[in-house]
PDB file of all heavy atoms in Angstrom:
ATOM      1  N   LEU A 275     -18.329  29.015  22.235  1.00 87.00           N
ATOM      2  CA  LEU A 275     -17.091  29.770  22.579  1.00 87.00           C
ATOM      3  C   LEU A 275     -16.601  30.683  21.504  1.00 87.00           C
ATOM      4  O   LEU A 275     -16.139  31.897  21.675  1.00 87.00           O
ATOM      5  CB  LEU A 275     -15.983  28.923  23.153  1.00 87.00           C
ATOM      6  CG  LEU A 275     -16.330  28.217  24.401  1.00 87.00           C
ATOM      7  CD1 LEU A 275     -15.165  27.196  24.745  1.00 87.00           C
ATOM      8  CD2 LEU A 275     -16.547  29.110  25.555  1.00 87.00           C
ATOM      9  N   VAL A 276     -16.606  30.071  20.279  1.00 89.00           N
ATOM     10  CA  VAL A 276     -16.131  30.917  19.069  1.00 89.00           C
ATOM     11  C   VAL A 276     -17.189  32.027  18.676  1.00 89.00           C
ATOM     12  O   VAL A 276     -16.680  33.129  18.376  1.00 89.00           O
ATOM     13  CB  VAL A 276     -15.831  29.986  17.966  1.00 89.00           C
ATOM     14  CG1 VAL A 276     -15.575  30.760  16.648  1.00 89.00           C
ATOM     15  CG2 VAL A 276     -14.689  28.897  18.277  1.00 89.00           C
ATOM     16  N   GLN A 277     -18.372  31.573  18.595  1.00 89.00           N
ATOM     17  CA  GLN A 277     -19.520  32.579  18.043  1.00 89.00           C
ATOM     18  C   GLN A 277     -19.980  33.487  19.014  1.00 89.00           C
ATOM     19  O   GLN A 277     -20.390  34.670  18.877  1.00 89.00           O
ATOM     20  CB  GLN A 277     -20.690  31.755  17.573  1.00 89.00           C
ATOM     21  CG  GLN A 277     -20.258  30.906  16.255  1.00 89.00           C
ATOM     22  CD  GLN A 277     -21.600  30.159  15.832  1.00 89.00           C
ATOM     23  OE1 GLN A 277     -21.868  29.109  16.266  1.00 89.00           O
ATOM     24  NE2 GLN A 277     -22.336  30.878  15.034  1.00 89.00           N
ATOM     25  N   GLY A 278     -19.879  33.248  20.408  1.00 86.00           N
ATOM     26  CA  GLY A 278     -20.312  34.115  21.365  1.00 86.00           C
ATOM     27  C   GLY A 278     -21.768  34.376  21.383  1.00 86.00           C
ATOM     28  O   GLY A 278     -22.560  33.346  21.063  1.00 86.00           O
ATOM     29  N   SER A 279     -22.273  35.638  21.372  1.00 81.00           N
ATOM     30  CA  SER A 279     -23.713  35.903  21.438  1.00 81.00           C
ATOM     31  C   SER A 279     -24.301  35.532  20.177  1.00 81.00           C
ATOM     32  O   SER A 279     -25.440  35.263  20.009  1.00 81.00           O
ATOM     33  CB  SER A 279     -23.947  37.347  21.757  1.00 81.00           C
ATOM     34  OG  SER A 279     -23.191  38.195  20.755  1.00 81.00           O
ATOM     35  N   ASN A 280     -23.491  35.477  19.091  1.00 91.00           N
ATOM     36  CA  ASN A 280     -24.016  35.053  17.762  1.00 91.00           C
ATOM     37  C   ASN A 280     -24.537  33.660  17.525  1.00 91.00           C
ATOM     38  O   ASN A 280     -25.288  33.326  16.790  1.00 91.00           O
ATOM     39  CB  ASN A 280     -22.967  35.349  16.661  1.00 91.00           C
ATOM     40  CG  ASN A 280     -22.744  36.839  16.390  1.00 91.00           C
ATOM     41  OD1 ASN A 280     -23.566  37.577  16.568  1.00 91.00           O
ATOM     42  ND2 ASN A 280     -21.519  37.181  16.033  1.00 91.00           N
ATOM     43  N   PHE A 281     -24.005  32.842  18.604  1.00 91.00           N
ATOM     44  CA  PHE A 281     -24.388  31.391  18.597  1.00 91.00           C
ATOM     45  C   PHE A 281     -25.919  31.281  18.771  1.00 91.00           C
ATOM     46  O   PHE A 281     -26.568  30.580  17.913  1.00 91.00           O
ATOM     47  CB  PHE A 281     -23.667  30.694  19.732  1.00 91.00           C
ATOM     48  CG  PHE A 281     -24.230  29.363  20.003  1.00 91.00           C
ATOM     49  CD1 PHE A 281     -23.751  28.244  19.174  1.00 91.00           C
ATOM     50  CD2 PHE A 281     -25.161  29.073  20.938  1.00 91.00           C
ATOM     51  CE1 PHE A 281     -24.192  26.924  19.412  1.00 91.00           C
ATOM     52  CE2 PHE A 281     -25.527  27.759  21.210  1.00 91.00           C
ATOM     53  CZ  PHE A 281     -25.147  26.752  20.392  1.00 91.00           C
ATOM     54  N   HIS A 282     -26.463  31.968  19.766  1.00 90.00           N
ATOM     55  CA  HIS A 282     -27.880  31.769  20.126  1.00 90.00           C
ATOM     56  C   HIS A 282     -28.690  32.378  18.926  1.00 90.00           C
ATOM     57  O   HIS A 282     -29.820  31.903  18.588  1.00 90.00           O
ATOM     58  CB  HIS A 282     -28.247  32.464  21.383  1.00 90.00           C
ATOM     59  CG  HIS A 282     -27.487  31.818  22.461  1.00 90.00           C
ATOM     60  ND1 HIS A 282     -27.804  30.591  22.956  1.00 90.00           N
ATOM     61  CD2 HIS A 282     -26.587  32.390  23.433  1.00 90.00           C
ATOM     62  CE1 HIS A 282     -27.047  30.382  24.012  1.00 90.00           C
ATOM     63  NE2 HIS A 282     -26.336  31.365  24.216  1.00 90.00           N
ATOM     64  N   SER A 283     -28.268  33.553  18.402  1.00 91.00           N
ATOM     65  CA  SER A 283     -28.979  34.177  17.292  1.00 91.00           C
ATOM     66  C   SER A 283     -29.027  33.379  16.043  1.00 91.00           C
ATOM     67  O   SER A 283     -30.059  33.187  15.329  1.00 91.00           O
ATOM     68  CB  SER A 283     -28.560  35.546  17.010  1.00 91.00           C
ATOM     69  OG  SER A 283     -27.205  35.552  16.625  1.00 91.00           O
ATOM     70  N   SER A 284     -27.944  32.664  15.761  1.00 92.00           N
ATOM     71  CA  SER A 284     -27.799  31.868  14.551  1.00 92.00           C
ATOM     72  C   SER A 284     -28.772  30.687  14.810  1.00 92.00           C
ATOM     73  O   SER A 284     -29.402  30.206  13.793  1.00 92.00           O
ATOM     74  CB  SER A 284     -26.354  31.432  14.295  1.00 92.00           C
ATOM     75  OG  SER A 284     -25.884  30.635  15.298  1.00 92.00           O
ATOM     76  N   ARG A 285     -28.773  30.063  15.947  1.00 92.00           N
ATOM     77  CA  ARG A 285     -29.559  28.861  16.090  1.00 92.00           C
ATOM     78  C   ARG A 285     -31.100  29.197  16.079  1.00 92.00           C
ATOM     79  O   ARG A 285     -31.892  28.488  15.769  1.00 92.00           O
ATOM     80  CB  ARG A 285     -29.245  28.278  17.496  1.00 92.00           C
ATOM     81  CG  ARG A 285     -27.667  27.669  17.610  1.00 92.00           C
ATOM     82  CD  ARG A 285     -27.450  26.704  16.442  1.00 92.00           C
ATOM     83  NE  ARG A 285     -26.254  26.000  16.565  1.00 92.00           N
ATOM     84  CZ  ARG A 285     -24.982  26.569  16.208  1.00 92.00           C
ATOM     85  NH1 ARG A 285     -24.907  27.753  15.719  1.00 92.00           N
ATOM     86  NH2 ARG A 285     -23.972  25.937  16.290  1.00 92.00           N
ATOM     87  N   ARG A 286     -31.278  30.431  16.698  1.00 92.00           N
ATOM     88  CA  ARG A 286     -32.775  30.864  16.721  1.00 92.00           C
ATOM     89  C   ARG A 286     -33.240  31.085  15.192  1.00 92.00           C
ATOM     90  O   ARG A 286     -34.451  30.923  14.944  1.00 92.00           O
ATOM     91  CB  ARG A 286     -32.831  32.184  17.610  1.00 92.00           C
ATOM     92  CG  ARG A 286     -34.224  32.685  17.796  1.00 92.00           C
ATOM     93  CD  ARG A 286     -34.168  33.639  18.910  1.00 92.00           C
ATOM     94  NE  ARG A 286     -33.541  34.722  18.725  1.00 92.00           N
ATOM     95  CZ  ARG A 286     -32.389  34.979  19.389  1.00 92.00           C
ATOM     96  NH1 ARG A 286     -31.910  34.225  20.494  1.00 92.00           N
ATOM     97  NH2 ARG A 286     -31.594  36.111  19.155  1.00 92.00           N
ATOM     98  N   GLU A 287     -32.405  31.721  14.368  1.00 91.00           N
ATOM     99  CA  GLU A 287     -32.761  31.892  13.039  1.00 91.00           C
ATOM    100  C   GLU A 287     -33.020  30.481  12.340  1.00 91.00           C
ATOM    101  O   GLU A 287     -33.881  30.358  11.434  1.00 91.00           O
ATOM    102  CB  GLU A 287     -31.743  32.539  12.236  1.00 91.00           C
ATOM    103  CG  GLU A 287     -31.612  34.186  12.690  1.00 91.00           C
ATOM    104  CD  GLU A 287     -30.407  34.725  12.015  1.00 91.00           C
ATOM    105  OE1 GLU A 287     -29.928  34.082  11.059  1.00 91.00           O
ATOM    106  OE2 GLU A 287     -30.205  35.930  12.201  1.00 91.00           O
ATOM    107  N   LYS A 288     -32.222  29.563  12.786  1.00 92.00           N
ATOM    108  CA  LYS A 288     -32.309  28.216  12.049  1.00 92.00           C
ATOM    109  C   LYS A 288     -33.472  27.216  12.709  1.00 92.00           C
ATOM    110  O   LYS A 288     -34.212  26.604  11.882  1.00 92.00           O
ATOM    111  CB  LYS A 288     -30.993  27.399  12.305  1.00 92.00           C
ATOM    112  CG  LYS A 288     -30.860  26.200  11.442  1.00 92.00           C
ATOM    113  CD  LYS A 288     -29.479  25.587  11.622  1.00 92.00           C
ATOM    114  CE  LYS A 288     -29.286  24.231  10.754  1.00 92.00           C
ATOM    115  NZ  LYS A 288     -27.986  23.727  10.888  1.00 92.00           N
TER     116      LYS A 288
END
Side-chain angles (χ1 to χ4, degrees):
L275 292 174
V276 172
Q277 291 182 269
S279 60
N280 291 329
F281 172 83
H282 298 292
S283 58
S284 65
R285 297 305 186 275
R286 192 161 54 247
E287 290 177 4
K288 187 175 182 179

